[in-house]
Structures are given as structure tokens and as C-alpha cells.
Amino acid sequence: PTATPGKLQFSSPEEECCLGPACWLWDYLRRSGAAGFLLPLSGGADSSSVATIVGAMCHLVYEAASRDPQVASDVRKVCRRQDET
């Protein structure tokens, strides 16, 4: 079977600065087997940037999980929930 071509989406450089690390964080979390991240936030500019990237990751994963059963299964695995189909 062949894959159906998807619609190509271009992001601005500003969006790429957030979306790239957000995708990397999800990939790391999914592959590492960890149950989450510890984020010691001080309230400064660096902390707000990290919180924004983690928030973007959560948003991207939530959106993808609603469309893709594999992502939903990965979320349940990370959250230590049984696979519900």
C-alpha cells in the first residue's frame, strides 16, 4: 500500500525555533521510557522559553494523538496507562 500525500505546511523561522525543540522533546520522552520531565523554573527569560517549548510539545502531541492511533498509544505508554483501543 502507498501512503496518501499530505499537505505540506511551512512554518516561519520563529515557529521553527519553538516547534523543532518541541518535536525533539517528545521524541526523547517517547524513546527514553521516562514518565515526564522535571522543569525547575526560576521565572526568568530562559524559564519562560523552556515552558513555552514544553507547552508547544503538549499541544502538538495532543493534536497528533487525536488523529493518529500510534501517537495515542505512545501517549498512553508514557503516561503508564494500558493500551485502550
Side-chain angles (χ1 to χ4, degrees):
T2 59
T4 306
K7 185 177 180 182
L8 198 57
Q9 180 181 345
F10 293 96
S11 300
S12 70
E14 293 82 8
E15 290 172 317
E16 287 292 327
C17 287
C18 186
L19 296 176
C23 290
W24 182 88
L25 281 175
W26 170 244
D27 191 49
Y28 177 81
L29 185 60
R30 183 179 60 84
R31 291 174 184 234
S32 70
F37 297 109
L38 173 66
L39 299 175
L41 303 175
S42 67
D46 292 345
S47 292
S48 63
S49 297
V50 169
T52 299
I53 291 168
V54 172
M57 178 200 73
C58 293
H59 177 75
L60 290 171
V61 170
Y62 177 80
E63 292 294 320
S66 66
R67 295 185 313 270
D68 186 339
Q70 180 60 53
V71 176
S73 177
D74 290 341
V75 169
R76 286 189 293 274
K77 182 179 174 187
V78 166
C79 294
R80 307 291 197 263
R81 301 283 182 175
Q82 289 196 356
D83 196 21
E84 303 164 6
T85 53

